[in-house]
Amino acid sequence: MFDIDVNYYPRETLIEFAVAYLQRLGASTEEAAIVADGIVTAAGRWHPGKGQGLEKLFRLTIQCENGGIQPGAEFEVINETPAIAHVDGHKGFGYVVADKAMHLAIGKAQNVGVGCVVVCHSNHFGQAGYHAETAAKAGMIGLVMTNAAAEMAPWGAKKAVLGTNPWGIGIPRADAPPILLDMALTTSGRGMVMWAHREGQAIPDNWMLTTEGRRSTNPADFFSADENAIVGTQYPIGEFKGYGLSLFTDVVTGVMSGALFGMSCFTDITNHDVGHFFLAINPDMFMGRDQFNTRLAQLIAEIKQAEPIDPDGEIYLPGELEFRTQAERRTTGIPIDSATVDKLRVLAAERNVDCPL
Amino acid sequence: MFDIDVNYYPRETLIEFAVAYLQRLGASTEEAAIVADGIVTAAGRWHPGKGQGLEKLFRLTIQCENGGIQPGAEFEVINETPAIAHVDGHKGFGYVVADKAMHLAIGKAQNVGVGCVVVCHSNHFGQAGYHAETAAKAGMIGLVMTNAAAEMAPWGAKKAVLGTNPWGIGIPRADAPPILLDMALTTSGRGMVMWAHREGQAIPDNWMLTTEGRRSTNPADFFSADENAIVGTQYPIGEFKGYGLSLFTDVVTGVMSGALFGMSCFTDITNHDVGHFFLAINPDMFMGRDQFNTRLAQLIAEIKQAEPIDPDGEIYLPGELEFRTQAERRTTGIPIDSATVDKLRVLAAERNVDCPL
């Protein structure tokens, strides 16, 4: 089923391990619970070994030990109105800062219909979609953005200045998982290019540009001469459109928050200084919830009833495949790749944490 | 310079004509001024004859005469908090409804940092970027969305269910035109495909999908057998990503507003019932304006200094080329294609309006 060796573990086992390990890194009970849920939820939905699951513990270990992450950091609301808040994350766990920021936005949306929270001095917060889902679980429409390391060139340029700047969008549904869009503003990610390079496979010619701004289907063209590092730039969705969306994202997450932005973001692992943006919108301010649910169900029905190109295919809502995967893994357990398991065993042993993997 | 015959007119002449013509259609002085400014501003920035300028008067004429647009319609605020408003446009001019809605959002953002206005029962509002620019002129970051006729298939499907659902994003700058992104969520527009078909030119294979879901570089493959109508579907930016963004857009503009959505929107010319979404964010709530301007200028400098792929090229901000075009046309006048001029002369004569074209 997977192209790598994996072992399967119950979600509870992974949560228990991640919580114990994070506490050993200095996380409080609350912080450990939030980070563990973010990491293990990602592991439960995505392909193992691609960097979205328990692998996140590697960088978290480095950053908790070098001061890049400060467990117990204050979540400081610098300025606030009934509708917005400006938050300083004080180098806390990005997952925790983002979780608190989204809950703050939700509270404001419950009161005045919309909540907009902008955060500086944070860290990598996991999946943007995870935090958008938090809004949807509370009955809100959520829009989440973050800035990221410079990997995208402005359209027409050779050099990366902007990040892939991921977005998460959550839309609540009655009696069903939310519509959940989790996406970067680039056509692919570095992980996919590295995978294709390792496997000797061609890639579409709109995944990256070389350092000279050329397209290529050969992943090797995007690597440094020693083949150790990717040096090309990620290709924006819709070309100048994705460039524009990424610029907008960096303005509201980085420039406006007081975090780093542009080529500076994510360059110093002791001070990533990431910026985030959280928007929660309350549909109840616009119509009765039953009416909203009914109308949304009508739109979904139109989508689901559209004839698929593949006669055996099916039309999916954003996030639907991931929710199915998550449901299946409640039975099978969550696959973790062997390389990650091996490395976690070593990290845990070094820190005297019991490792059930 | 252009591939069609054009005549050049001063902006003032076009405004004067459009105002007089719209008043003859029943528009009030205020309505005529707003609509004329939207139409003539678009004509001043874009390629003539592609449907963005004075050509809009054709459909406005039909709709004012068939009841699809109701001059003098009430701009009704159905529900309101300090941060949001739900507006019924009562079939007013889309340009006017949108202009008032954005000003309402700006006022809220001035007070509480963010303003979110959702509108039902409106009409085509012109360029999304035009209304985002209104926010930027007031010092706000603006995000504008609208739903539109179904032209995009859900990713993996053959049938159009969602619109190109244009977005406008405006970011204010000190002493310079704003960053202004005006874009549909599809890789191209029908107008560009029709143009290529007429000229016998090939198009990129990610502009449309055929009714069977195939890619093609031959525009004829997307037309009906009699070649009179486009029957293929527009290709979403970033494939499933653009589909997800379009779905999100239809939820906040159509489903949540009480307007039409999905396959129903824009189908009945006597009742387009379009929905819009306007968000204004006030940077002053997050940092001093000088600091915001300085930081934004730093990001722009990083972008502008990135080496261009074309050695004679230049890196542009979103909207920058259109602002340059607009500035040039202050000297040259605004080009209007002959076909449009001819048709406007007839329409004006039929309605006893002096036509200076």
Side-chain angles (χ1 to χ4, degrees), chain B:
Chain B
M1 181 173 178
F2 298 111
D3 49 9
I4 47 176
D5 282 338
V6 299
N7 294 307
Y8 290 81
Y9 304 95
R11 176 182 163 89
E12 296 65 31
T13 303
L14 298 177
I15 290 278
E16 198 178 340
F17 167 68
V19 164
Y21 185 82
L22 286 159
Q23 286 183 311
R24 188 59 55 98
L25 294 181
S28 69
T29 310
E30 184 199 15
E31 287 173 333
I34 293 170
V35 178
D37 190 68
I39 289 172
V40 177
T41 298
R45 291 180 184 170
W46 300 89
H47 194 290
K50 295 259 169 96
Q52 303 298 355
L54 267 70
E55 307 92 302
K56 293 290 184 205
L57 288 172
F58 307 154
R59 188 163 63 181
L60 289 170
T61 303
I62 296 169
Q63 288 190 289
C64 283
E65 293 179 351
N66 74 12
I69 291 175
Q70 305 273 342
E74 184 190 0
F75 178 86
E76 184 192 1
V77 178
I78 304 169
N79 184 36
E80 193 171 17
T81 75
I84 68 106
H86 184 198
V87 166
D88 186 333
H90 287 291
K91 304 179 82 171
F93 287 100
Y95 295 81
V96 175
V97 175
D99 192 63
K100 291 185 177 179
M102 184 45 105
H103 279 101
L104 186 56
I106 290 167
K108 291 176 185 294
Q110 283 164 339
N111 290 328
V112 295
V114 66
C116 175
V117 176
V118 171
V119 175
C120 65
H121 308 333
S122 184
N123 277 291
H124 192 290
F125 67 16
Q127 307 283 298
Y130 178 87
H131 304 292
E133 188 179 359
T134 302
K137 281 178 179 164
M140 304 292 158
I141 295 170
L143 169 62
V144 176
M145 302 184 238
T146 185
N147 62 7
E151 294 182 2
M152 177 201 290
W155 190 245
K158 295 178 178 179
K159 190 167 81 172
V161 175
L162 297 163
T164 62
N165 292 0
W167 287 29
I169 292 175
I171 298 169
R173 296 172 67 193
D175 308 319
I179 295 172
L180 192 58
L181 183 64
D182 183 272
M183 56 176 260
L185 300 176
T186 46
T187 54
S188 78
R190 290 186 166 209
M192 292 162 73
V193 178
M194 286 192 280
W195 180 87
H197 186 230
R198 206 166 54 226
E199 300 290 317
Q201 297 203 1
I203 59 173
D205 76 347
N206 71 344
W207 275 16
M208 293 198 74
L209 291 170
T210 69
T211 52
E212 294 306 307
R214 262 190 318 108
R215 293 178 179 226
S216 170
T217 59
N218 180 0
D221 290 344
F222 307 111
F223 279 76
S224 57
D226 63 7
E227 303 216 342
N228 281 329
I230 285 193
V231 293
T233 62
Q234 300 295 127
Y235 202 96
I237 60 167
E239 307 190 339
F240 73 91
K241 298 180 180 186
Y243 151 54
L245 292 174
S246 181
L247 171 51
F248 163 63
T249 305
D250 208 10
V251 170
V252 294
T253 61
V255 170
M256 191 173 76
S257 74
L260 292 176
F261 55 83
M263 295 187 295
S264 309
C265 183
F266 266 101
T267 48
D268 173 3
I269 197 166
T270 70
N271 185 29
H272 274 171
D273 196 355
V274 186
H276 316 308
F277 176 95
F278 303 86
L279 189 75
I281 302 169
N282 186 353
D284 295 340
M285 295 283 178
F286 301 95
M287 58 180 56
R289 180 62 64 154
D290 285 349
Q291 194 186 359
F292 176 78
N293 287 340
T294 302
R295 289 165 61 86
L296 180 58
Q298 282 171 3
L299 179 57
I300 291 171
E302 289 185 6
I303 288 169
K304 285 288 187 180
Q305 285 157 17
E307 190 186 346
I309 296 169
D310 173 359
D312 302 320
E314 182 181 344
I315 308 306
Y316 297 106
L317 297 174
E320 190 171 358
L321 280 173
E322 289 75 21
F323 284 114
R324 286 196 199 181
T325 299
Q326 178 173 280
E328 286 162 16
R329 291 180 184 170
R330 276 188 209 115
T331 312
T332 62
I334 294 174
I336 310 290
D337 65 290
S338 307
T340 297
V341 169
D342 291 346
K343 198 159 169 187
L344 287 174
R345 282 181 186 145
V346 173
L347 290 177
E350 285 171 359
R351 285 161 192 78
N352 272 321
V353 180
D354 282 341
C355 184
L357 308 185

Side-chain angles (χ1 to χ4, degrees), chain A residues 59-292:
Chain A
R59 189 163 63 181
L60 289 171
T61 302
I62 295 170
Q63 288 190 288
C64 283
E65 293 179 351
N66 74 13
I69 292 175
Q70 304 273 344
E74 184 190 1
F75 178 87
E76 185 192 0
V77 178
I78 304 169
N79 184 37
E80 193 172 16
T81 75
I84 68 103
H86 184 199
V87 167
D88 186 334
H90 287 291
K91 303 179 84 169
F93 287 99
Y95 296 81
V96 175
V97 175
D99 192 62
K100 290 185 178 178
M102 184 44 106
H103 279 102
L104 186 56
I106 291 166
K108 291 176 186 296
Q110 283 165 338
N111 289 330
V112 296
V114 66
C116 174
V117 177
V118 171
V119 175
C120 65
H121 308 333
S122 183
N123 276 290
H124 192 289
F125 67 16
Q127 307 283 297
Y130 178 87
H131 304 292
E133 188 180 359
T134 302
K137 281 178 177 165
M140 304 293 157
I141 294 171
L143 169 62
V144 177
M145 302 183 237
T146 185
N147 62 5
E151 294 183 2
M152 177 202 287
W155 189 246
K158 296 179 177 180
K159 190 166 78 171
V161 174
L162 298 163
T164 61
N165 293 359
W167 288 29
I169 292 175
I171 298 168
R173 297 172 65 194
D175 307 319
I179 295 172
L180 191 58
L181 183 64
D182 182 271
M183 57 175 259
L185 300 176
T186 46
T187 53
S188 78
R190 291 188 164 207
M192 291 162 75
V193 178
M194 287 192 277
W195 180 85
H197 185 231
R198 209 167 50 227
E199 300 289 318
Q201 297 201 3
I203 59 173
D205 76 348
N206 70 345
W207 274 16
M208 293 198 75
L209 292 170
T210 69
T211 52
E212 294 307 305
R214 263 191 317 109
R215 293 180 179 226
S216 171
T217 58
N218 180 1
D221 290 344
F222 306 112
F223 279 76
S224 57
D226 63 7
E227 303 217 342
N228 280 329
I230 286 193
V231 293
T233 62
Q234 300 295 127
Y235 202 97
I237 60 169
E239 305 189 339
F240 74 90
K241 298 181 180 186
Y243 151 55
L245 292 174
S246 181
L247 171 53
F248 163 63
T249 305
D250 209 10
V251 171
V252 294
T253 61
V255 170
M256 191 175 75
S257 73
L260 292 176
F261 54 83
M263 294 188 293
S264 308
C265 184
F266 266 101
T267 48
D268 174 2
I269 197 165
T270 70
N271 185 29
H272 274 170
D273 196 354
V274 186
H276 315 309
F277 176 96
F278 302 87
L279 189 76
I281 302 168
N282 186 354
D284 295 339
M285 294 283 177
F286 301 96
M287 57 180 56
R289 180 63 63 153
D290 285 351
Q291 194 186 358
F292 176 78

